[in-house]
Amino acid sequence: MRKLKTVLSLLAMSVLILTLTACGKSTANSSSSKKQVLNLSATAPLDTIDISKASGYGQTGNVFESFYRLGKNGKTTPGLAKSGTVSKDGKTWTFKLRSAKWSNGDKITAQDFVYSWRRTLNPKTKSTYSYLFSGIKNAEAVSSGKKSPNSVGISAPDSKTVVIKLDKPIAYFKVLMAYPLFGPQNQKIVEKYGKKYATKAQYMVYSGPFKIKKWNGTGNKWQFVKNNQYWDKKVVKLQKINYLVVGSPTTGQELYQQGKLDLTPLAGQQVKNFKNSSQFKQYPYSYVSYLQYNFKDSDAVKRTAMNNRNIRLALSLAIDRNVLTKRILGNGSLTPKGFVASELANDPKTGTDFADQQYVKNTVKRNTKLARQYWAKGMKEIGQKNLKLTLLASNDDSNGTVIAQYLQSAYAKILPGLSIEVNSIPGNNAQQNALQGNFDIYLSGWGGDFSDPITFLQIPETGTAYNYGKYSSTKYDELIARAQNTDANSASKRWNDLVQAARLLNSDQGMTPVYQQVTAYLQKNDIKGIIHNTAGTQWNYKYAYKK
């Protein structure tokens, strides 16, 4: 994969995914269908229900389905495919579809998958997630407009068979096929509604456990209702999920205590107040906040500084991530061991967390003495006694503003001669500034799309669209290329390539991890069966119910 999703996409995704909560007063031990109702909250309206244009699937993963679904611990579970096989060379996948229907009763066919992929990859669609198709035959050429959508490597020999051709083996392909992005679309419905398609709940059909109602494209309320045409409807216990936009954790707590919410996110002091409650829950997410340095800064002095490894190491070692996560954020967030999130992927041989294997001593653990030594050495090397840098951050999320302020204060105390000016602006504007290179340091972030280290390790490759700071390492690029090509069919060799790449990046501090997000919640004890994962479609309500 060469293209990466925008930070705007990430922010939209993390806002919608990480604050999803369940609400609705229940009666214990009741099997009455009207009691099987949850009211989920979000901090922002649902932006789209078009899987080709979505920037995240935290909610809509419950109304759309692909070949597989994402189950517990990031494992694939049955979806619209009843079987999937791969050729010995790892480059051809064949899926046999089960008998399934759209929410309107139409049969789901292999051609629906072919149509969906072609539509998503068509440059006219402007999909923010087209980069995830990289490695599929002709996908990049199609998305860049060099080839016709009809040339992408997916075909339907018959109504129940989908064949996918890859340019090279993709180690994480099966789990990738659990992403709703790769699910089918009903061409008849798309053409029937034209420009209206996916603009309101009624201008869409659904393949997952639920279907959407009462969504008009802009409102703060909508519903998921059980899809009685769903192939596995017998296991779906919830009859309805009501969504409501809730603006703050304080409001959420009030609604929770009034019995109007069954699950609500906590922040700061709330976490301390409720951490000993039986209703206190924590859900980790593979979102890592990190600093990008502008290696192509328009200012010659700043450009030299950002290209100096000693200065970057000093900036990393000056951060007290324990204070940041435990005292300032106070929501259970984790201190990262490197650029790749914890609890994302495990060594295929030993089961060890990738995050532990990527760790490099004296790169991310605070050491003020060493930070000052690196700083003094770096400043001498660039011939400066004072340095003024601008830190770009988004103020859409309160965490961004708080972290920027912390960094500004910490650097002023620890690194002599360094002055940080914070430019905290709306996410859209921050993204545009980043794209144009209008920053010295950018407080960025990434949430994993699937449970494999490459979802993070693609970002620092030379030339990727959202490697905003233009970090570049020939050795790093070689290791990633080897993992994605030569060693793609060997799980152990590929894993070793990725570990080496991550350790190189961490040693270089080409990008500096700041924290990994964990969200704390109050959750009523009668809510059962929620499946949560750290990457991909984090929330799965297919098996959820009220006891």
Side-chain angles (χ1 to χ4, degrees):
M1 303 178 190
R2 294 293 173 187
K3 293 169 65 181
L4 294 170
K5 67 185 171 187
T6 64
V7 168
L8 176 62
S9 300
L10 171 63
L11 290 172
M13 178 177 68
S14 60
V15 165
L16 289 170
I17 292 175
L18 294 177
T19 60
L20 287 184
T21 56
C23 65
K25 199 168 183 179
S26 71
T27 301
N29 302 317
S30 172
S31 61
S32 172
S33 61
K34 73 175 182 178
K35 302 300 182 184
Q36 291 298 325
V37 176
L38 300 177
N39 294 319
L40 302 182
S41 74
T43 59
L46 183 61
D47 56 352
T48 183
I49 58 173
D50 185 338
I51 66 170
S52 290
K53 300 178 180 181
S55 57
Y57 304 91
Q59 293 182 37
T60 55
N62 288 285
V63 298
F64 298 116
E65 188 163 282
S66 188
F67 296 108
Y68 303 105
R69 292 187 66 79
L70 202 59
K72 291 181 180 179
N73 302 316
K75 304 297 184 182
T76 55
T77 59
L80 294 175
K82 64 180 181 180
S83 70
T85 57
V86 60
S87 60
K88 287 184 179 180
D89 65 0
K91 295 167 66 173
T92 301
W93 282 78
T94 302
F95 295 98
K96 294 292 184 179
L97 302 184
R98 66 179 74 254
S99 294
K101 296 180 179 180
W102 292 100
S103 56
N104 68 346
D106 289 350
K107 290 182 179 180
I108 295 176
T109 69
Q111 185 59 36
D112 291 335
F113 282 89
V114 175
Y115 172 76
S116 180
W117 286 30
R118 290 175 176 175
R119 180 174 181 267
T120 299
L121 285 168
N122 191 322
K124 294 179 181 179
T125 303
K126 298 179 181 179
S127 171
T128 60
Y129 268 123
S130 60
Y131 74 92
L132 278 178
F133 287 83
S134 180
I136 295 165
K137 185 178 179 180
N138 293 329
E140 290 186 358
V142 171
S143 65
S144 62
K146 296 177 181 178
K147 287 192 175 183
S148 164
N150 293 342
S151 68
V152 70
I154 183 172
S155 61
D158 58 61
S159 64
K160 294 292 185 182
T161 306
V162 179
V163 177
I164 297 169
K165 298 286 187 180
L166 308 181
D167 290 324
K168 57 190 177 184
I170 300 176
Y172 49 88
F173 189 75
K174 185 173 182 179
V175 72
L176 195 64
M177 291 300 100
Y179 218 34
L181 171 72
F182 298 96
Q185 294 183 61
N186 189 319
Q187 182 175 1
K188 182 182 74 174
I189 296 299
V190 176
E191 293 175 350
K192 175 182 177 180
Y193 293 120
K195 292 182 179 180
K196 290 183 178 180
Y197 177 71
T199 59
K200 292 184 179 180
Q202 61 266 38
Y203 302 143
M204 174 59 71
V205 288
Y206 308 93
S207 55
F210 301 92
K211 56 185 180 180
I212 303 177
K213 287 192 173 182
K214 297 186 177 179
W215 180 76
N216 63 8
T218 58
N220 289 335
K221 295 181 180 181
W222 57 93
Q223 296 179 337
F224 287 178
V225 177
K226 182 176 179 179
N227 178 8
N228 287 318
Q229 297 288 347
Y230 181 58
W231 68 270
D232 203 19
K233 65 180 179 181
K234 63 181 183 298
V235 306
V236 181
K237 297 179 181 178
L238 292 177
Q239 293 295 319
K240 187 184 298 183
I241 303 173
N242 294 318
Y243 282 89
L244 172 68
V245 173
V246 177
S248 72
T250 300
T251 302
Q253 180 188 332
E254 292 173 354
L255 293 171
Y256 181 90
Q257 292 173 331
Q258 293 168 13
K260 297 178 180 179
L261 289 177
D262 289 322
L263 192 153
T264 189
L266 303 173
Q269 187 60 41
Q270 290 177 315
V271 177
K272 298 175 183 178
N273 293 342
F274 292 104
K275 66 180 180 180
N276 294 320
S277 169
S278 64
Q279 299 175 28
F280 181 81
K281 303 287 182 182
Q282 286 184 310
Y283 289 112
Y285 174 44
S286 63
Y287 174 85
V288 174
S289 172
Y290 56 92
L291 302 178
Q292 292 207 47
Y293 305 105
N294 193 347
F295 290 83
K296 300 291 185 180
D297 204 301
S298 59
D299 182 283
V301 172
K302 295 178 180 180
R303 182 170 63 252
T304 303
M306 294 297 89
N307 277 273
N308 186 282
R309 178 174 177 268
N310 290 315
I311 286 178
R312 297 195 303 273
L313 281 167
L315 291 168
S316 179
L317 293 172
I319 303 172
D320 192 330
R321 294 167 177 83
N322 285 323
V323 167
L324 182 62
T325 55
K326 292 179 172 60
R327 297 183 188 176
I328 298 175
L329 295 178
N331 56 9
S333 289
L334 304 174
T335 56
K337 298 175 182 177
F339 190 65
V340 177
S342 300
E343 299 183 25
L344 177 74
N346 297 320
D347 189 318
K349 280 189 174 181
T350 66
T352 307
D353 193 328
F354 186 92
D356 294 328
Q357 296 185 5
Q358 72 175 337
Y359 178 72
V360 177
K361 187 178 180 180
N362 294 328
T363 57
V364 293
K365 187 175 181 180
R366 192 194 196 203
N367 186 326
T368 55
K369 181 180 179 181
L370 192 57
R372 290 191 178 102
Q373 290 176 0
Y374 278 127
W375 180 254
K377 185 178 180 180
M379 291 295 280
K380 183 178 181 180
E381 288 171 345
I382 69 171
Q384 300 293 323
K385 292 184 178 181
N386 298 290
L387 188 63
K388 185 176 181 180
L389 300 173
T390 298
L391 174 63
L392 176 65
S394 166
N395 61 15
D396 289 352
D397 178 3
S398 60
N399 283 355
T401 300
V402 169
I403 293 168
Q405 292 172 346
Y406 164 77
L407 292 173
Q408 182 183 45
S409 175
Y411 288 152
K413 292 177 182 177
I414 297 169
L415 304 178
L418 176 60
S419 174
I420 296 288
E421 178 183 349
V422 174
N423 183 20
S424 185
I425 57 179
N428 277 333
N429 296 336
Q431 181 202 8
Q432 289 304 311
N433 275 270
L435 284 168
Q436 295 166 12
N438 296 329
F439 68 95
D440 302 322
I441 303 174
Y442 180 36
L443 182 60
S444 187
W446 189 263
D449 293 315
F450 47 90
S451 53
D452 188 275
I454 198 67
T455 190
F456 280 91
L457 294 178
Q458 291 174 107
I459 299 171
E461 282 187 277
T462 301
T464 54
Y466 299 101
N467 176 354
Y468 295 107
K470 311 301 181 186
Y471 171 77
S472 180
S473 163
T474 301
K475 179 62 176 176
Y476 183 88
D477 292 344
E478 289 174 353
L479 287 166
I480 297 300
R482 187 190 305 166
Q484 296 288 74
N485 295 282
T486 308
D487 296 338
N489 248 353
S490 171
S492 59
K493 288 182 179 179
R494 177 180 180 273
W495 184 269
N496 186 55
D497 294 336
L498 296 179
V499 170
Q500 288 187 57
R503 289 179 60 83
L504 187 155
L505 178 67
N506 294 333
S507 297
D508 206 25
Q509 282 303 292
M511 296 180 184
T512 292
V514 178
Y515 79 98
Q516 180 178 340
Q517 186 161 346
V518 173
T519 304
Y521 292 86
L522 282 177
Q523 179 176 314
K524 294 293 176 65
N525 293 325
D526 61 351
I527 298 178
K528 307 294 181 182
I530 293 176
I531 294 176
H532 176 270
N533 283 291
T534 59
T537 48
Q538 287 84 3
W539 299 94
N540 182 346
Y541 297 103
K542 176 176 175 176
Y543 305 101
Y545 65 98
K546 283 189 172 183
K547 187 174 179 180

